[in-house]
Short mmCIF file of all heavy atoms in Angstrom, two decimals:
data_model
loop_
_atom_site.label_atom_id
_atom_site.label_comp_id
_atom_site.label_asym_id
_atom_site.label_seq_id
_atom_site.Cartn_x
_atom_site.Cartn_y
_atom_site.Cartn_z
N PHE A 1215 -7.84 17.39 15.20
CA PHE A 1215 -8.37 17.70 13.89
C PHE A 1215 -7.43 17.14 12.82
O PHE A 1215 -6.25 16.90 13.07
CB PHE A 1215 -8.60 19.20 13.68
CG PHE A 1215 -7.35 20.01 13.44
CD1 PHE A 1215 -6.84 20.18 12.16
CD2 PHE A 1215 -6.70 20.61 14.49
CE1 PHE A 1215 -5.70 20.93 11.94
CE2 PHE A 1215 -5.56 21.37 14.28
CZ PHE A 1215 -5.06 21.53 13.00
N VAL A 1216 -8.00 16.93 11.63
CA VAL A 1216 -7.25 16.47 10.47
C VAL A 1216 -7.58 17.41 9.32
O VAL A 1216 -8.74 17.74 9.10
CB VAL A 1216 -7.64 15.03 10.07
CG1 VAL A 1216 -6.93 14.61 8.80
CG2 VAL A 1216 -7.38 14.06 11.19
N LYS A 1217 -6.55 17.86 8.62
CA LYS A 1217 -6.75 18.78 7.51
C LYS A 1217 -5.92 18.30 6.32
O LYS A 1217 -4.73 18.05 6.45
CB LYS A 1217 -6.34 20.18 7.93
CG LYS A 1217 -6.42 21.22 6.83
CD LYS A 1217 -6.18 22.64 7.33
CE LYS A 1217 -4.81 22.85 7.87
NZ LYS A 1217 -4.49 24.26 8.18
N LEU A 1218 -6.55 18.18 5.15
CA LEU A 1218 -5.88 17.85 3.90
C LEU A 1218 -6.02 19.07 3.01
O LEU A 1218 -7.13 19.58 2.82
CB LEU A 1218 -6.52 16.63 3.23
CG LEU A 1218 -6.06 16.30 1.82
CD1 LEU A 1218 -4.62 15.86 1.80
CD2 LEU A 1218 -6.94 15.22 1.21
N GLN A 1219 -4.89 19.56 2.48
CA GLN A 1219 -4.96 20.74 1.62
C GLN A 1219 -3.90 20.70 0.54
O GLN A 1219 -2.86 20.08 0.70
CB GLN A 1219 -4.82 22.01 2.44
CG GLN A 1219 -3.47 22.18 3.08
CD GLN A 1219 -3.40 23.41 3.97
OE1 GLN A 1219 -4.42 24.00 4.32
NE2 GLN A 1219 -2.20 23.83 4.32
N LYS A 1220 -4.19 21.40 -0.56
CA LYS A 1220 -3.18 21.63 -1.59
C LYS A 1220 -2.19 22.63 -1.01
O LYS A 1220 -2.56 23.52 -0.26
CB LYS A 1220 -3.81 22.19 -2.86
CG LYS A 1220 -4.68 21.19 -3.58
CD LYS A 1220 -5.24 21.81 -4.84
CE LYS A 1220 -6.12 20.81 -5.57
NZ LYS A 1220 -6.71 21.40 -6.78
N THR A 1221 -0.93 22.48 -1.40
CA THR A 1221 0.13 23.32 -0.86
C THR A 1221 0.99 23.88 -1.97
O THR A 1221 1.29 23.17 -2.94
CB THR A 1221 1.01 22.47 0.10
OG1 THR A 1221 0.18 21.91 1.09
CG2 THR A 1221 2.09 23.29 0.74
N GLU A 1222 1.39 25.11 -1.83
CA GLU A 1222 2.31 25.74 -2.77
C GLU A 1222 3.74 25.38 -2.34
O GLU A 1222 4.06 25.37 -1.17
CB GLU A 1222 2.15 27.25 -2.77
CG GLU A 1222 0.77 27.72 -3.22
CD GLU A 1222 0.50 27.40 -4.68
OE1 GLU A 1222 1.43 27.50 -5.51
OE2 GLU A 1222 -0.65 27.06 -4.99
N GLY A 1223 4.59 25.10 -3.32
CA GLY A 1223 5.99 24.81 -3.01
C GLY A 1223 6.64 24.07 -4.15
O GLY A 1223 5.97 23.45 -4.98
N GLY A 1224 7.95 24.10 -4.16
CA GLY A 1224 8.69 23.44 -5.21
C GLY A 1224 8.77 21.93 -5.06
O GLY A 1224 8.64 21.19 -6.01
N SER A 1225 8.97 21.48 -3.82
CA SER A 1225 9.08 20.05 -3.58
C SER A 1225 8.57 19.73 -2.18
O SER A 1225 8.44 20.62 -1.33
CB SER A 1225 10.55 19.60 -3.69
OG SER A 1225 11.30 20.12 -2.60
N ALA A 1226 8.30 18.46 -1.94
CA ALA A 1226 7.86 18.03 -0.61
C ALA A 1226 8.94 18.35 0.43
O ALA A 1226 8.63 18.76 1.55
CB ALA A 1226 7.54 16.54 -0.61
N GLU A 1227 10.19 18.19 0.05
CA GLU A 1227 11.29 18.46 0.97
C GLU A 1227 11.34 19.94 1.36
O GLU A 1227 11.54 20.27 2.53
CB GLU A 1227 12.62 18.03 0.36
CG GLU A 1227 12.78 16.54 0.20
CD GLU A 1227 12.11 15.97 -1.06
OE1 GLU A 1227 11.54 16.75 -1.87
OE2 GLU A 1227 12.15 14.74 -1.22
N ASP A 1228 11.15 20.82 0.38
CA ASP A 1228 11.14 22.26 0.65
C ASP A 1228 10.01 22.64 1.60
O ASP A 1228 10.20 23.43 2.53
CB ASP A 1228 11.01 23.08 -0.63
CG ASP A 1228 12.23 22.99 -1.53
OD1 ASP A 1228 13.31 22.56 -1.06
OD2 ASP A 1228 12.09 23.34 -2.73
N VAL A 1229 8.83 22.10 1.37
CA VAL A 1229 7.68 22.40 2.22
C VAL A 1229 7.90 21.85 3.62
O VAL A 1229 7.63 22.52 4.62
CB VAL A 1229 6.38 21.85 1.60
CG1 VAL A 1229 5.21 21.98 2.56
CG2 VAL A 1229 6.06 22.57 0.28
N ALA A 1230 8.43 20.63 3.72
CA ALA A 1230 8.72 20.05 5.04
C ALA A 1230 9.74 20.91 5.79
O ALA A 1230 9.57 21.17 6.99
CB ALA A 1230 9.23 18.62 4.88
N ASP A 1231 10.77 21.36 5.10
CA ASP A 1231 11.77 22.24 5.73
C ASP A 1231 11.13 23.51 6.25
O ASP A 1231 11.47 24.00 7.33
CB ASP A 1231 12.88 22.58 4.74
CG ASP A 1231 13.81 21.42 4.46
OD1 ASP A 1231 13.80 20.42 5.21
OD2 ASP A 1231 14.55 21.50 3.46
N GLN A 1232 10.18 24.06 5.50
CA GLN A 1232 9.50 25.28 5.92
C GLN A 1232 8.68 25.04 7.20
O GLN A 1232 8.68 25.86 8.10
CB GLN A 1232 8.60 25.81 4.80
CG GLN A 1232 8.05 27.19 5.08
CD GLN A 1232 9.12 28.25 5.19
OE1 GLN A 1232 10.12 28.23 4.51
NE2 GLN A 1232 8.91 29.20 6.08
N TYR A 1233 8.00 23.89 7.27
CA TYR A 1233 7.25 23.56 8.49
C TYR A 1233 8.18 23.44 9.70
O TYR A 1233 7.85 23.89 10.79
CB TYR A 1233 6.45 22.26 8.32
CG TYR A 1233 5.13 22.47 7.64
CD1 TYR A 1233 4.89 21.98 6.36
CD2 TYR A 1233 4.09 23.14 8.27
CE1 TYR A 1233 3.69 22.16 5.73
CE2 TYR A 1233 2.87 23.33 7.64
CZ TYR A 1233 2.67 22.84 6.38
OH TYR A 1233 1.47 23.04 5.75
N VAL A 1234 9.34 22.85 9.49
CA VAL A 1234 10.31 22.72 10.58
C VAL A 1234 10.74 24.10 11.07
O VAL A 1234 10.76 24.37 12.27
CB VAL A 1234 11.53 21.88 10.14
CG1 VAL A 1234 12.65 21.96 11.16
CG2 VAL A 1234 11.12 20.42 9.90
N LEU A 1235 11.05 24.98 10.14
CA LEU A 1235 11.47 26.34 10.50
C LEU A 1235 10.37 27.10 11.24
O LEU A 1235 10.62 27.77 12.24
CB LEU A 1235 11.90 27.12 9.26
CG LEU A 1235 13.21 26.72 8.62
CD1 LEU A 1235 13.41 27.46 7.31
CD2 LEU A 1235 14.37 26.99 9.56
N GLU A 1236 9.15 26.99 10.75
CA GLU A 1236 8.03 27.73 11.34
C GLU A 1236 7.56 27.17 12.68
O GLU A 1236 6.97 27.89 13.47
CB GLU A 1236 6.86 27.77 10.37
CG GLU A 1236 7.13 28.61 9.14
CD GLU A 1236 6.04 28.56 8.10
OE1 GLU A 1236 5.03 27.84 8.32
OE2 GLU A 1236 6.18 29.22 7.06
N SER A 1237 7.81 25.88 12.93
CA SER A 1237 7.32 25.27 14.17
C SER A 1237 8.03 25.81 15.40
O SER A 1237 7.45 25.85 16.48
CB SER A 1237 7.48 23.75 14.13
OG SER A 1237 8.84 23.40 14.29
N ASP A 1238 9.28 26.21 15.25
CA ASP A 1238 10.11 26.69 16.36
C ASP A 1238 10.20 25.63 17.47
O ASP A 1238 10.29 25.95 18.65
CB ASP A 1238 9.58 28.01 16.91
CG ASP A 1238 10.65 28.78 17.65
OD1 ASP A 1238 11.84 28.63 17.31
OD2 ASP A 1238 10.30 29.54 18.58
N GLU A 1239 10.09 24.36 17.10
CA GLU A 1239 10.17 23.24 18.03
C GLU A 1239 11.18 22.23 17.46
O GLU A 1239 11.51 22.27 16.28
CB GLU A 1239 8.81 22.53 18.18
CG GLU A 1239 7.69 23.40 18.68
CD GLU A 1239 7.82 23.77 20.14
OE1 GLU A 1239 8.58 23.10 20.88
OE2 GLU A 1239 7.17 24.76 20.56
N GLU A 1240 11.62 21.30 18.29
CA GLU A 1240 12.46 20.21 17.81
C GLU A 1240 11.55 19.24 17.05
O GLU A 1240 10.55 18.77 17.58
CB GLU A 1240 13.13 19.50 18.98
CG GLU A 1240 14.11 18.45 18.53
CD GLU A 1240 14.90 17.86 19.68
OE1 GLU A 1240 15.13 18.55 20.67
OE2 GLU A 1240 15.24 16.68 19.56
N CYS A 1241 11.90 18.95 15.82
CA CYS A 1241 11.04 18.14 14.95
C CYS A 1241 11.70 16.81 14.60
O CYS A 1241 12.93 16.72 14.50
CB CYS A 1241 10.75 18.87 13.65
SG CYS A 1241 9.83 20.39 13.84
N THR A 1242 10.87 15.83 14.36
CA THR A 1242 11.28 14.58 13.75
C THR A 1242 10.89 14.68 12.28
O THR A 1242 9.77 15.05 11.97
CB THR A 1242 10.55 13.38 14.39
OG1 THR A 1242 10.88 13.33 15.77
CG2 THR A 1242 10.92 12.08 13.72
N VAL A 1243 11.80 14.36 11.38
CA VAL A 1243 11.54 14.41 9.94
C VAL A 1243 11.99 13.08 9.35
O VAL A 1243 13.14 12.68 9.53
CB VAL A 1243 12.26 15.58 9.27
CG1 VAL A 1243 11.97 15.60 7.77
CG2 VAL A 1243 11.90 16.90 9.91
N GLU A 1244 11.08 12.40 8.64
CA GLU A 1244 11.41 11.11 8.03
C GLU A 1244 10.73 10.96 6.68
O GLU A 1244 9.64 11.50 6.47
CB GLU A 1244 10.94 9.95 8.92
CG GLU A 1244 11.65 9.82 10.23
CD GLU A 1244 11.17 8.63 11.06
OE1 GLU A 1244 10.44 7.77 10.51
OE2 GLU A 1244 11.49 8.59 12.25
N GLU A 1245 11.33 10.19 5.80
CA GLU A 1245 10.69 9.80 4.56
C GLU A 1245 9.81 8.59 4.87
O GLU A 1245 10.21 7.69 5.61
CB GLU A 1245 11.71 9.44 3.50
CG GLU A 1245 12.51 10.62 3.03
CD GLU A 1245 13.49 10.27 1.92
OE1 GLU A 1245 13.41 9.16 1.36
OE2 GLU A 1245 14.34 11.12 1.63
N THR A 1246 8.59 8.57 4.32
CA THR A 1246 7.65 7.49 4.58
C THR A 1246 6.74 7.34 3.37
O THR A 1246 6.94 7.98 2.34
CB THR A 1246 6.84 7.78 5.87
OG1 THR A 1246 6.06 6.64 6.21
CG2 THR A 1246 5.95 8.99 5.73
N THR A 1247 5.74 6.48 3.47
CA THR A 1247 4.71 6.37 2.45
C THR A 1247 3.35 6.39 3.16
O THR A 1247 3.24 6.03 4.33
CB THR A 1247 4.83 5.08 1.63
OG1 THR A 1247 4.74 3.95 2.49
CG2 THR A 1247 6.13 5.05 0.85
N ILE A 1248 2.34 6.84 2.43
CA ILE A 1248 0.97 6.81 2.93
C ILE A 1248 0.09 6.21 1.85
O ILE A 1248 0.53 6.00 0.72
CB ILE A 1248 0.48 8.21 3.35
CG1 ILE A 1248 0.58 9.21 2.19
CG2 ILE A 1248 1.27 8.72 4.55
CD1 ILE A 1248 0.06 10.60 2.52
N GLY A 1249 -1.17 5.92 2.18
CA GLY A 1249 -2.07 5.31 1.21
C GLY A 1249 -1.63 3.90 0.85
O GLY A 1249 -1.54 3.56 -0.32
N GLU A 1250 -1.34 3.08 1.87
CA GLU A 1250 -0.84 1.72 1.69
C GLU A 1250 0.39 1.67 0.79
O GLU A 1250 0.54 0.81 -0.07
CB GLU A 1250 -1.94 0.80 1.18
CG GLU A 1250 -3.03 0.54 2.19
CD GLU A 1250 -4.05 -0.48 1.73
OE1 GLU A 1250 -3.95 -1.01 0.62
OE2 GLU A 1250 -4.96 -0.74 2.53
N GLY A 1251 1.27 2.65 0.99
CA GLY A 1251 2.52 2.67 0.26
C GLY A 1251 2.47 3.26 -1.12
O GLY A 1251 3.46 3.25 -1.84
N GLU A 1252 1.31 3.81 -1.53
CA GLU A 1252 1.18 4.34 -2.88
C GLU A 1252 1.83 5.70 -3.07
O GLU A 1252 2.22 6.06 -4.17
CB GLU A 1252 -0.30 4.45 -3.26
CG GLU A 1252 -0.95 3.11 -3.48
CD GLU A 1252 -2.36 3.25 -4.01
OE1 GLU A 1252 -2.58 4.10 -4.90
OE2 GLU A 1252 -3.23 2.53 -3.53
N TYR A 1253 1.90 6.49 -2.01
CA TYR A 1253 2.36 7.86 -2.13
C TYR A 1253 3.57 8.09 -1.22
O TYR A 1253 3.47 7.95 0.00
CB TYR A 1253 1.25 8.85 -1.75
CG TYR A 1253 -0.08 8.54 -2.39
CD1 TYR A 1253 -1.15 8.07 -1.64
CD2 TYR A 1253 -0.27 8.69 -3.76
CE1 TYR A 1253 -2.37 7.77 -2.21
CE2 TYR A 1253 -1.49 8.38 -4.36
CZ TYR A 1253 -2.54 7.93 -3.57
OH TYR A 1253 -3.73 7.63 -4.15
N ALA A 1254 4.69 8.47 -1.82
CA ALA A 1254 5.87 8.82 -1.03
C ALA A 1254 5.59 10.15 -0.32
O ALA A 1254 5.00 11.06 -0.90
CB ALA A 1254 7.09 8.97 -1.94
N ALA A 1255 6.00 10.26 0.95
CA ALA A 1255 5.72 11.45 1.74
C ALA A 1255 6.90 11.78 2.64
O ALA A 1255 7.72 10.92 2.94
CB ALA A 1255 4.46 11.24 2.58
#
Side-chain angles (χ1 to χ4, degrees):
F1215 76 88
V1216 176
K1217 177 173 63 172
L1218 171 66
Q1219 66 184 15
K1220 291 181 181 179
T1221 304
E1222 297 294 322
S1225 69
E1227 292 82 2
D1228 292 343
V1229 172
D1231 288 345
Q1232 189 63 35
Y1233 277 111
V1234 169
L1235 288 173
E1236 291 174 0
S1237 74
D1238 202 29
E1239 302 288 341
E1240 186 174 330
C1241 297
T1242 299
V1243 180
E1244 293 181 13
E1245 292 183 12
T1246 188
T1247 59
I1248 57 178
E1250 291 185 0
E1252 289 187 42
Y1253 313 110

